[in-house]
Short mmCIF file of all heavy atoms in Angstrom, two decimals:
data_model
loop_
_atom_site.label_atom_id
_atom_site.label_comp_id
_atom_site.label_asym_id
_atom_site.label_seq_id
_atom_site.Cartn_x
_atom_site.Cartn_y
_atom_site.Cartn_z
N ALA A 1 0.88 -1.21 -0.04
CA ALA A 1 -0.03 0.05 -0.03
C ALA A 1 0.87 1.18 -0.02
O ALA A 1 1.88 1.30 0.76
CB ALA A 1 -0.87 0.03 1.21
N LYS A 2 0.53 2.18 -0.84
CA LYS A 2 1.14 3.44 -0.90
C LYS A 2 0.06 4.57 -0.82
O LYS A 2 -0.78 4.60 -1.69
CB LYS A 2 1.89 3.60 -2.33
CG LYS A 2 2.83 2.57 -2.67
CD LYS A 2 4.03 2.58 -1.74
CE LYS A 2 4.94 1.34 -2.11
NZ LYS A 2 6.02 1.08 -1.12
N TYR A 3 0.15 5.40 0.11
CA TYR A 3 -0.83 6.50 0.42
C TYR A 3 -0.27 7.91 0.60
O TYR A 3 0.87 7.99 1.11
CB TYR A 3 -1.69 6.17 1.63
CG TYR A 3 -2.70 5.12 1.44
CD1 TYR A 3 -2.34 3.80 1.46
CD2 TYR A 3 -4.01 5.39 1.06
CE1 TYR A 3 -3.33 2.81 1.16
CE2 TYR A 3 -4.91 4.58 0.80
CZ TYR A 3 -4.64 3.10 0.86
OH TYR A 3 -5.59 2.12 0.60
N ILE A 4 -0.88 8.81 0.17
CA ILE A 4 -0.45 10.28 0.16
C ILE A 4 -1.60 11.09 0.75
O ILE A 4 -2.76 10.64 0.67
CB ILE A 4 -0.05 10.82 -1.15
CG1 ILE A 4 -1.06 10.74 -2.21
CG2 ILE A 4 1.25 10.11 -1.62
CD1 ILE A 4 -0.69 11.43 -3.50
N VAL A 5 -1.28 12.18 1.19
CA VAL A 5 -2.21 13.19 1.66
C VAL A 5 -1.99 14.51 1.10
O VAL A 5 -0.82 14.83 0.64
CB VAL A 5 -2.32 13.40 3.31
CG1 VAL A 5 -2.80 12.12 3.98
CG2 VAL A 5 -0.96 13.81 3.74
N ALA A 6 -3.07 15.36 0.89
CA ALA A 6 -2.90 16.69 0.53
C ALA A 6 -3.17 17.60 1.69
O ALA A 6 -4.12 17.39 2.37
CB ALA A 6 -3.98 17.05 -0.57
N GLU A 7 -2.25 18.53 1.87
CA GLU A 7 -2.28 19.29 3.05
C GLU A 7 -2.29 20.83 2.65
O GLU A 7 -1.62 21.28 1.93
CB GLU A 7 -0.97 19.00 3.97
CG GLU A 7 -1.01 19.35 5.38
CD GLU A 7 0.29 18.89 6.07
OE1 GLU A 7 1.30 19.26 5.69
OE2 GLU A 7 0.07 17.98 6.98
N VAL A 8 -3.23 21.55 3.39
CA VAL A 8 -3.30 23.02 3.28
C VAL A 8 -3.27 23.66 4.54
O VAL A 8 -4.09 23.31 5.47
CB VAL A 8 -4.52 23.44 2.40
CG1 VAL A 8 -4.72 24.98 2.40
CG2 VAL A 8 -4.59 22.86 1.00
N ASP A 9 -2.27 24.49 4.79
CA ASP A 9 -2.19 25.09 6.18
C ASP A 9 -2.18 24.12 7.29
O ASP A 9 -2.95 24.28 8.24
CB ASP A 9 -3.35 26.15 6.26
CG ASP A 9 -3.20 27.36 5.28
OD1 ASP A 9 -2.14 27.70 4.90
OD2 ASP A 9 -4.27 27.90 4.93
N ASN A 10 -1.53 23.05 7.14
CA ASN A 10 -1.21 22.03 8.24
C ASN A 10 -2.59 21.23 8.42
O ASN A 10 -2.71 20.64 9.47
CB ASN A 10 -0.70 22.60 9.53
CG ASN A 10 0.64 23.13 9.33
OD1 ASN A 10 1.49 22.45 8.79
ND2 ASN A 10 0.91 24.20 9.86
N LYS A 11 -3.49 21.35 7.50
CA LYS A 11 -4.76 20.52 7.73
C LYS A 11 -4.76 19.61 6.44
O LYS A 11 -4.54 20.05 5.33
CB LYS A 11 -5.92 21.49 7.57
CG LYS A 11 -7.32 20.74 7.62
CD LYS A 11 -8.48 21.73 7.48
CE LYS A 11 -9.68 20.93 7.20
NZ LYS A 11 -10.88 21.35 8.04
N ILE A 12 -5.21 18.44 6.63
CA ILE A 12 -5.24 17.43 5.69
C ILE A 12 -6.59 17.65 4.99
O ILE A 12 -7.72 17.68 5.65
CB ILE A 12 -5.21 16.02 6.19
CG1 ILE A 12 -3.74 15.69 6.61
CG2 ILE A 12 -5.56 14.96 5.05
CD1 ILE A 12 -3.47 14.46 7.40
N VAL A 13 -6.69 17.86 3.63
CA VAL A 13 -7.81 18.28 2.93
C VAL A 13 -8.11 17.13 1.92
O VAL A 13 -9.18 17.19 1.21
CB VAL A 13 -7.73 19.57 2.30
CG1 VAL A 13 -7.56 20.63 3.39
CG2 VAL A 13 -6.53 19.78 1.24
N GLY A 14 -7.29 16.19 1.67
CA GLY A 14 -7.56 15.14 0.74
C GLY A 14 -6.46 14.01 0.85
O GLY A 14 -5.45 14.18 1.55
N TYR A 15 -6.79 12.97 0.25
CA TYR A 15 -5.86 11.76 0.27
C TYR A 15 -6.21 10.85 -0.86
O TYR A 15 -7.17 10.95 -1.52
CB TYR A 15 -5.95 11.01 1.63
CG TYR A 15 -7.28 10.33 1.69
CD1 TYR A 15 -7.46 9.01 1.34
CD2 TYR A 15 -8.41 11.12 2.17
CE1 TYR A 15 -8.70 8.39 1.43
CE2 TYR A 15 -9.62 10.36 2.42
CZ TYR A 15 -9.75 9.15 1.85
OH TYR A 15 -11.09 8.58 2.01
N GLY A 16 -5.19 10.01 -1.11
CA GLY A 16 -5.31 8.84 -2.09
C GLY A 16 -4.29 7.82 -1.84
O GLY A 16 -3.35 8.08 -1.23
N GLY A 17 -4.64 6.73 -2.49
CA GLY A 17 -3.68 5.53 -2.37
C GLY A 17 -3.91 4.53 -3.40
O GLY A 17 -4.89 4.46 -4.02
N PHE A 18 -2.88 3.71 -3.45
CA PHE A 18 -2.96 2.50 -4.33
C PHE A 18 -2.28 1.33 -3.79
O PHE A 18 -1.33 1.49 -2.86
CB PHE A 18 -2.56 2.90 -5.80
CG PHE A 18 -1.01 3.30 -5.92
CD1 PHE A 18 -0.09 2.26 -6.11
CD2 PHE A 18 -0.56 4.61 -5.74
CE1 PHE A 18 1.41 2.59 -6.14
CE2 PHE A 18 0.76 4.97 -5.88
CZ PHE A 18 1.71 3.98 -6.05
N TRP A 19 -2.64 0.13 -4.33
CA TRP A 19 -1.86 -1.05 -4.01
C TRP A 19 -0.87 -1.40 -5.16
O TRP A 19 -1.32 -1.32 -6.28
CB TRP A 19 -2.79 -2.25 -3.72
CG TRP A 19 -3.72 -2.08 -2.54
CD1 TRP A 19 -3.38 -1.35 -1.35
CD2 TRP A 19 -4.90 -2.58 -2.38
NE1 TRP A 19 -4.36 -1.51 -0.45
CE2 TRP A 19 -5.37 -2.29 -1.07
CE3 TRP A 19 -5.79 -3.37 -3.15
CZ2 TRP A 19 -6.56 -2.63 -0.46
CZ3 TRP A 19 -6.97 -3.66 -2.59
CH2 TRP A 19 -7.38 -3.33 -1.33
N VAL A 20 0.32 -1.84 -4.89
CA VAL A 20 1.25 -2.23 -5.83
C VAL A 20 0.92 -3.73 -6.02
O VAL A 20 1.04 -4.51 -5.09
CB VAL A 20 2.73 -2.05 -5.40
CG1 VAL A 20 3.63 -2.61 -6.50
CG2 VAL A 20 3.03 -0.55 -5.13
N VAL A 21 0.64 -4.11 -7.33
CA VAL A 21 0.39 -5.57 -7.70
C VAL A 21 1.30 -5.77 -8.82
O VAL A 21 1.00 -5.54 -9.97
CB VAL A 21 -1.09 -5.77 -8.01
CG1 VAL A 21 -1.30 -7.25 -8.31
CG2 VAL A 21 -1.98 -5.33 -6.91
N VAL A 22 2.47 -6.39 -8.47
CA VAL A 22 3.57 -6.57 -9.51
C VAL A 22 3.98 -5.35 -10.13
O VAL A 22 4.54 -4.49 -9.47
CB VAL A 22 3.26 -7.65 -10.54
CG1 VAL A 22 4.36 -8.17 -11.38
CG2 VAL A 22 2.55 -8.94 -9.85
N ASP A 23 3.58 -5.01 -11.39
CA ASP A 23 4.04 -3.74 -12.01
C ASP A 23 2.84 -2.82 -12.30
O ASP A 23 2.85 -1.92 -13.09
CB ASP A 23 4.77 -3.92 -13.19
CG ASP A 23 4.04 -4.68 -14.29
OD1 ASP A 23 2.97 -5.33 -14.01
OD2 ASP A 23 4.48 -4.71 -15.54
N GLU A 24 1.68 -3.15 -11.61
CA GLU A 24 0.45 -2.34 -11.71
C GLU A 24 0.09 -1.66 -10.44
O GLU A 24 0.42 -2.20 -9.36
CB GLU A 24 -0.70 -3.25 -12.29
CG GLU A 24 -0.52 -3.83 -13.57
CD GLU A 24 -1.62 -4.65 -13.90
OE1 GLU A 24 -2.49 -5.08 -13.04
OE2 GLU A 24 -1.65 -5.21 -15.06
N GLY A 25 -0.49 -0.52 -10.54
CA GLY A 25 -0.99 0.12 -9.25
C GLY A 25 -2.62 0.20 -9.33
O GLY A 25 -3.11 0.66 -10.33
N HIS A 26 -3.20 -0.39 -8.32
CA HIS A 26 -4.71 -0.37 -8.18
C HIS A 26 -5.06 0.71 -7.29
O HIS A 26 -4.73 0.54 -6.02
CB HIS A 26 -5.10 -1.80 -7.73
CG HIS A 26 -6.55 -1.84 -7.69
ND1 HIS A 26 -7.32 -2.57 -8.53
CD2 HIS A 26 -7.53 -1.16 -6.94
CE1 HIS A 26 -8.62 -2.43 -8.24
NE2 HIS A 26 -8.78 -1.61 -7.27
N ILE A 27 -5.56 1.74 -7.78
CA ILE A 27 -6.00 2.92 -6.85
C ILE A 27 -7.18 2.43 -6.05
O ILE A 27 -8.15 1.98 -6.59
CB ILE A 27 -6.37 4.12 -7.72
CG1 ILE A 27 -5.03 4.76 -8.41
CG2 ILE A 27 -6.94 5.23 -6.89
CD1 ILE A 27 -5.25 5.90 -9.34
N THR A 28 -6.92 2.62 -4.78
CA THR A 28 -7.99 2.16 -3.75
C THR A 28 -8.98 3.21 -3.40
O THR A 28 -10.25 2.92 -3.39
CB THR A 28 -7.41 1.64 -2.49
OG1 THR A 28 -6.54 2.65 -2.01
CG2 THR A 28 -6.43 0.41 -2.78
N ASN A 29 -8.52 4.39 -3.25
CA ASN A 29 -9.46 5.52 -3.02
C ASN A 29 -8.67 6.96 -3.06
O ASN A 29 -7.54 6.97 -3.00
CB ASN A 29 -10.07 5.36 -1.50
CG ASN A 29 -8.96 4.98 -0.47
OD1 ASN A 29 -7.77 5.09 -0.64
ND2 ASN A 29 -9.35 4.43 0.65
N ILE A 30 -9.57 7.84 -3.45
CA ILE A 30 -9.17 9.25 -3.66
C ILE A 30 -10.40 10.05 -3.08
O ILE A 30 -11.55 9.76 -3.43
CB ILE A 30 -8.83 9.69 -5.16
CG1 ILE A 30 -7.72 8.94 -5.64
CG2 ILE A 30 -8.68 11.12 -5.23
CD1 ILE A 30 -7.45 9.19 -7.07
N ALA A 31 -9.99 10.94 -2.20
CA ALA A 31 -11.16 11.84 -1.56
C ALA A 31 -10.60 13.24 -1.31
O ALA A 31 -9.43 13.39 -0.85
CB ALA A 31 -11.83 11.14 -0.49
N VAL A 32 -11.44 14.14 -1.45
CA VAL A 32 -11.07 15.48 -1.11
C VAL A 32 -12.25 16.02 -0.15
O VAL A 32 -13.45 15.81 -0.48
CB VAL A 32 -10.96 16.51 -2.31
CG1 VAL A 32 -10.81 17.90 -1.85
CG2 VAL A 32 -9.90 16.01 -3.23
N HIS A 33 -11.84 16.70 0.97
CA HIS A 33 -12.76 17.23 1.85
C HIS A 33 -13.84 18.17 1.07
O HIS A 33 -13.43 18.86 0.29
CB HIS A 33 -12.11 18.08 2.97
CG HIS A 33 -12.98 18.47 4.16
ND1 HIS A 33 -13.96 19.43 4.04
CD2 HIS A 33 -13.03 18.00 5.41
CE1 HIS A 33 -14.64 19.54 5.22
NE2 HIS A 33 -14.05 18.64 6.05
N PRO A 34 -15.11 17.96 1.43
CA PRO A 34 -16.16 18.78 0.62
C PRO A 34 -15.85 20.29 0.57
O PRO A 34 -16.14 20.92 -0.47
CB PRO A 34 -17.41 18.52 1.32
CG PRO A 34 -17.22 17.17 2.11
CD PRO A 34 -15.69 17.08 2.40
N GLU A 35 -15.26 20.92 1.63
CA GLU A 35 -15.02 22.38 1.65
C GLU A 35 -13.91 22.61 0.66
O GLU A 35 -13.65 23.89 0.44
CB GLU A 35 -14.64 22.81 3.06
CG GLU A 35 -15.84 22.70 4.01
CD GLU A 35 -15.47 23.06 5.48
OE1 GLU A 35 -14.36 23.56 5.67
OE2 GLU A 35 -16.28 22.73 6.31
N TYR A 36 -13.09 21.69 0.19
CA TYR A 36 -11.96 21.98 -0.61
C TYR A 36 -12.04 21.50 -2.00
O TYR A 36 -11.09 21.45 -2.78
CB TYR A 36 -10.66 21.46 -0.02
CG TYR A 36 -10.25 22.22 1.34
CD1 TYR A 36 -10.84 21.98 2.50
CD2 TYR A 36 -9.36 23.30 1.20
CE1 TYR A 36 -10.49 22.70 3.63
CE2 TYR A 36 -9.01 24.00 2.27
CZ TYR A 36 -9.57 23.65 3.56
OH TYR A 36 -9.11 24.41 4.63
N ARG A 37 -13.25 20.98 -2.43
CA ARG A 37 -13.48 20.41 -3.75
C ARG A 37 -13.51 21.50 -4.79
O ARG A 37 -13.83 22.81 -4.41
CB ARG A 37 -14.75 19.74 -3.73
CG ARG A 37 -14.50 18.33 -2.98
CD ARG A 37 -15.78 17.40 -2.99
NE ARG A 37 -15.63 16.29 -2.10
CZ ARG A 37 -16.47 15.65 -1.49
NH1 ARG A 37 -17.85 15.86 -1.90
NH2 ARG A 37 -16.27 14.69 -0.75
N SER A 38 -13.26 21.28 -5.95
CA SER A 38 -13.19 22.17 -7.15
C SER A 38 -12.19 23.25 -6.93
O SER A 38 -12.27 24.40 -7.44
CB SER A 38 -14.67 22.78 -7.30
OG SER A 38 -15.55 21.83 -7.64
N LYS A 39 -10.99 22.85 -6.36
CA LYS A 39 -9.95 23.82 -6.19
C LYS A 39 -8.71 23.29 -6.67
O LYS A 39 -7.63 23.73 -6.36
CB LYS A 39 -9.75 24.18 -4.64
CG LYS A 39 -11.03 24.91 -4.04
CD LYS A 39 -10.78 25.24 -2.58
CE LYS A 39 -11.98 25.78 -1.93
NZ LYS A 39 -12.53 26.94 -2.46
N GLY A 40 -8.70 22.15 -7.39
CA GLY A 40 -7.55 21.57 -7.98
C GLY A 40 -6.77 20.55 -7.14
O GLY A 40 -5.75 20.03 -7.49
N ILE A 41 -7.37 20.25 -6.00
CA ILE A 41 -6.64 19.39 -5.05
C ILE A 41 -6.76 17.94 -5.48
O ILE A 41 -5.75 17.19 -5.46
CB ILE A 41 -7.30 19.48 -3.62
CG1 ILE A 41 -6.93 20.89 -3.06
CG2 ILE A 41 -6.70 18.42 -2.70
CD1 ILE A 41 -7.56 21.38 -1.85
N GLY A 42 -7.83 17.49 -6.18
CA GLY A 42 -7.96 16.20 -6.75
C GLY A 42 -6.95 15.97 -7.77
O GLY A 42 -6.32 14.94 -7.93
N SER A 43 -6.65 16.90 -8.56
CA SER A 43 -5.72 16.95 -9.58
C SER A 43 -4.26 16.78 -8.98
O SER A 43 -3.33 15.88 -9.42
CB SER A 43 -5.62 18.20 -10.45
OG SER A 43 -6.77 18.30 -11.29
#
């Protein structure tokens, strides 16, 4: 498992992760806090 977070002003506002399966990455989840959506954080 490989996971990252997106942080703004020391607050976590989003995250995402994937599982490494041989040479493929299976994205398990991506989410952005509702107050921070449509601000480019998902990108």
Side-chain angles (χ1 to χ4, degrees):
K2 308 291 180 191
Y3 282 82
I4 59 175
V5 294
E7 202 174 59
V8 173
D9 297 327
N10 296 314
K11 176 184 170 135
I12 294 172
V13 298
Y15 66 93
F18 64 88
W19 293 331
V20 177
V21 182
V22 188
D23 62 348
E24 295 175 354
H26 183 109
I27 295 177
T28 54
N29 41 20
I30 295 174
V32 175
H33 192 287
E35 293 175 14
Y36 290 85
R37 291 182 186 156
S38 300
K39 298 180 186 306
I41 293 169
S43 292

